């Protein structure tokens, strides 16, 4: 790392992306802390540095240049750096205008995208109940019973696990809760067409879009949404 004064925020973004690509956890963390201290916007650090790096990792993995251990190191580096950003996205004592239950569907352990959606949704002032990864249909249903959310969000990162979204919507319908919640879906292989096909209420391509959807749903359901 050069001295901070010699580097612009954009240059450090490139360095952070490189640390994600190479799975260098400490360096990634330190550079993230540095750009934040220099005044970089948290969402820009996520999109222009961390996700930019992880996108390259995805390409290398797809092309057989990277294997699971390398991808895991990259994921850990990104997740560790996100811990710096998480509190910066949160509003502290705002009244919570609604609840979102969020989880990654059964069979799928890809955590990062869902966590970003959760962090940004919390940052917009909503209560987020994060069920984690590999969530079976019945656990989503139990969470609706317990937390009475206005919105249920599901994430899937693999073509083989997307089916879990359809099955969860079916389980929610069978349990008699479908009219009570808006359902949104997302994740790399998911698109609007698939969302329509399985009867979801909305699809978002990224975390910012997810927050927009949540706000719209909350308004529809007459819960005071934050702007
Ligand atoms: Co996996 N993996 N992986 N992986 N992995 C993918 C998904 C893959 C596309 C890689 C590839 O081949 N190029 C591929 C799936 C192929 C397919 O669909 N058929 C794949 C595979 C095959 C696998 C394994 C099977 C590999 C193996 O074991 N042989 C295995 C499966 C494990 C399992 O789930 N059962 C596996 C394992 C792993 C790791 C554990 C090593 C690691 C995850 C670590 C972790 O999460 N803690 C991992 C990673 C990191 C990836 C890639 C490289 C990156 C995923 C990521 O974190 N992206 C991924 C390649 C890729 O996606 N390009 C890949 C960054 C994140 C910010 O983006 O999650 O897309 P994303 O989230 C975005 C949007 O999609 C959206 O907003 C987010 C932020 O903007 N979004 C939502 C996400 N959820 C949303 C929900 C919403 C709305 C928007 O509403 C509710």
């Amino acid at each position: 790392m050069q001295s901070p004064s010699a580097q612009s925020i954009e240059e450090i973004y490139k360095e952070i992306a490189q640390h994600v690509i190479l799975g260098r956890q400490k360096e990634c963390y330190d550079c993230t802390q540095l750009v934040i201290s220099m005044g970089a916007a948290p969402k820009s650090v996520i999109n222009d540095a961390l996700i930019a790096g992880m996108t390259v990792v995805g390409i290398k993995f797809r092309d057989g240049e990277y294997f699971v251990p390398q991808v895991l190191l990259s994921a850990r580096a990104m997740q560790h750096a996100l811990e710096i950003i998480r509190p910066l996205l949160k509003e502290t004592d705002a009244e919570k205008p609604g609840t979102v239950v969020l989880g990654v569907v059964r069979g799928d352990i890809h955590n990062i995208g869902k966590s970003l959606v959760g962090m940004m949704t919390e940052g917009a002032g909503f209560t987020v109940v994060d069920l984690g990864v590999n969530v079976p249909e019945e656990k989503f249903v139990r969470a609706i019973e317990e937390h009475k959310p206005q919105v249920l969000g599901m994430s899937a990162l693999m073509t083989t696990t997307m089916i879990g979204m359809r099955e969860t919507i079916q389980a929610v319908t069978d349990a008699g809760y479908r009219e009570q919640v808006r359902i949104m879906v997302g994740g790399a292989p998911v698109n609007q067409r698939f969302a329509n096909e399985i009867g979801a209420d909305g699809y978002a391509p990224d975390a910012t879009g997810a927050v927009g959807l949540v706000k719209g749903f909350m308004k529809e359901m007459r819960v005071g949404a934050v702007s």
Side-chain angles (χ1 to χ4, degrees):
M1 216 193 305
Q2 297 171 39
S3 77
S5 57
Q7 277 184 301
S8 69
I9 285 180
E10 282 69 28
E11 282 170 336
I12 303 175
Y13 281 176
K14 285 192 191 134
E15 210 172 303
I16 293 172
Q18 203 56 31
H19 292 320
V20 171
I21 295 166
L22 297 175
R24 294 187 192 129
Q25 191 166 313
K26 184 180 182 308
E27 290 84 347
C28 184
Y29 188 87
D30 290 347
C31 282
T32 301
Q33 217 154 29
L34 175 63
V35 271
I36 290 290
S37 72
M38 289 166 74
K43 283 183 191 170
S44 158
V45 181
I46 292 174
N47 290 320
D48 304 328
L50 296 167
I51 290 186
M54 190 53 89
T55 303
V56 176
V57 173
I59 294 166
K60 286 182 182 290
F61 192 32
R62 183 199 61 203
D63 295 345
E65 202 182 317
Y66 267 20
F67 297 96
V68 171
Q70 284 111 320
V71 179
L72 256 182
L73 286 178
S74 297
R76 281 188 194 140
M78 177 163 175
Q79 276 175 322
H80 194 44
L82 281 173
E83 289 309 315
I84 299 170
I85 297 174
R86 181 188 292 273
L88 306 177
L89 295 171
K90 270 192 191 159
E91 285 177 8
T92 45
D93 52 7
E95 202 191 313
K96 304 289 181 192
T99 301
V100 179
V101 162
L102 205 58
V104 179
V105 295
R106 183 162 44 86
D108 200 322
I109 61 162
H110 293 90
N111 193 36
I112 300 174
K114 179 269 301 161
S115 297
L116 269 177
V117 171
M119 278 165 57
M120 293 210 186
T121 306
E122 262 179 9
F126 299 98
T127 300
V128 172
V129 179
D130 188 338
L131 302 180
V133 298
N134 189 18
V135 180
E137 303 85 273
E138 55 281 8
K139 192 168 172 187
F140 279 112
V141 172
R142 277 203 305 275
I144 296 176
E145 283 164 4
E146 189 180 339
H147 302 286
K148 316 239 171 325
Q150 289 76 27
V151 181
L152 174 68
M154 286 183 276
S155 180
L157 259 289
M158 297 192 290
T159 46
T160 46
T161 54
M162 286 161 74
I163 183 76
M165 294 177 161
R166 190 195 292 274
E167 288 168 355
T168 302
I169 292 177
Q170 191 57 53
V172 171
T173 308
D174 292 347
Y177 296 128
R178 185 65 188 92
E179 299 304 316
Q180 279 174 227
V181 283
R182 295 286 184 272
I183 298 184
M184 71 170 181
V185 292
V190 180
N191 55 32
Q192 185 64 59
R193 207 171 116 188
F194 180 73
N196 296 343
E197 220 178 275
I198 63 172
D201 299 303
Y203 155 78
D206 54 29
T208 307
V211 173
L213 268 185
V214 169
K215 286 180 177 173
F217 289 147
M218 293 294 181
K219 262 192 191 142
E220 269 174 44
M221 302 186 86
R222 300 183 198 292
V223 176
V226 277
S227 56

